[in-house]
Amino acid sequence: MTTVPRTVPIKDAAMILYSSPTSPYVRKVLVLLQETGQLEDVTQIDGSGTPLAPHEAVPGKNPIGKIPALERPDGPTLYDSRVICAFFDDRAGGQLYLSGARKWDTLTLEATGDGILDAALLMTYETRLRPEELRFDEWVDGQWSKIERACAALNARWMSHLHGPMDMGQISVACALGYVDFRQGARDWRKGNDALAAWYKAFAERPSMHATRPPEG
Ligand SMILES: N[C@@H](CCC(=O)N[C@@H](CS)C(=O)NCC(=O)O)C(=O)O
């Protein structure tokens, strides 16, 4: 299966998404854009960077220096994947956060996926950026414990929501589990979480998930 190249401009468009093919937070936005038919409204520009070496274009758009950031012609730049996802969902007519009681479940589920991502990204930075003599194994294990607890909670309490109508909570969790596989493949989040593993296997088959898979290697 081929993947869609994600850092080339798709067409001349007024909104610019600072992006990276390996960022799971960017992936959340791209999955939403594909699911809501808005992908061609955005031009993607590479904004890959790290806390040690931010991309030169990004801090001027997002003072925190992180991607995704969304530059708009008719308003200030938006940043943080949750803000950008809420913006595009609103623009598409509000399909992915819904309303009423389910909205708060969806937001909590999205926060759970993002929490997994935050822990997994810190683990990645620890091994990729921190000099070997300064690494702190217990701290890394503490991050992994967050991921284990979150996966166990998803498996025990969230399966009915995950199997419901597609929403941003599901997209966030799927992008998070995909990132854990991508960067922490040696650790096994599936152990003891059969229902979650089966749900993820099916969700990962969606064309939007296929088209946004991080590159191999
Ligand atoms: N809470 C932010 C996190 C974004 C984030 O951490 N992005 C990473 C790329 S995966 C980044 O830009 N890191 C650079 C940095 O931390 O300076 C969001 O949801 O957008």
Side-chain angles (χ1 to χ4, degrees):
M1 178 79 59
T2 53
T3 55
V4 174
R6 293 195 293 138
T7 51
V8 292
I10 293 151
K11 68 166 202 184
D12 282 342
M15 285 189 285
I16 295 172
L17 183 68
Y18 290 87
S19 196
S20 156
T22 56
S23 167
Y25 303 95
V26 170
R27 190 180 189 190
K28 286 174 59 190
V29 176
L30 295 179
V31 170
L32 176 151
L33 289 174
Q34 299 213 16
E35 294 286 352
T36 58
Q38 300 181 86
L39 188 60
E40 296 199 355
D41 298 346
V42 167
T43 296
Q44 294 179 61
I45 289 185
D46 183 52
S48 311
T50 69
L52 300 180
H55 188 284
E56 60 181 6
V58 173
K61 311 295 173 192
N62 171 4
I64 308 301
K66 296 185 180 185
I67 54 169
L70 181 74
E71 197 176 342
R72 298 176 299 156
D74 52 356
T77 298
L78 301 180
Y79 46 85
D80 198 285
S81 61
R82 277 188 242 185
V83 176
I84 297 170
C85 288
F87 168 77
F88 278 121
D89 180 57
D90 203 47
R91 190 169 176 264
Q95 306 162 40
L96 295 175
Y97 288 97
L98 304 180
S99 57
R102 192 178 161 95
K103 176 176 183 176
W104 307 114
D105 289 345
T106 299
L107 289 171
T108 304
L109 193 58
E110 183 177 15
T112 306
D114 287 10
I116 292 173
L117 280 182
D118 294 343
L121 184 65
L122 288 175
M123 291 171 74
T124 303
Y125 284 162
E126 183 76 11
T127 47
R128 295 194 150 208
L129 299 183
R130 197 180 293 280
E132 202 158 348
E133 65 277 14
L134 297 179
R135 283 187 200 152
F136 186 8
D137 290 344
E138 288 91 333
W139 188 88
V140 171
D141 290 343
Q143 299 304 325
W144 181 251
S145 296
K146 293 176 193 285
I147 295 171
E148 284 186 320
R149 284 195 302 269
C151 288
L154 291 169
N155 192 72
R157 296 199 292 275
W158 286 92
M159 293 317 303
S160 146
H161 186 115
L162 287 170
H163 282 290
M166 195 186 60
D167 65 16
M168 208 48 224
Q170 294 172 13
I171 292 173
S172 173
V173 168
C175 291
L177 296 176
Y179 185 73
V180 174
D181 279 346
F182 176 52
R183 292 295 196 207
Q184 303 298 330
R187 303 194 187 229
D188 187 8
W189 64 264
R190 290 174 176 78
K191 193 164 176 236
N193 297 315
D194 293 351
L196 181 63
W199 171 82
Y200 173 67
K201 190 165 185 269
F203 196 93
E205 290 303 320
R206 296 184 79 90
S208 61
M209 290 292 290
H210 265 284
T212 56
R213 279 187 306 189
E216 304 283 328

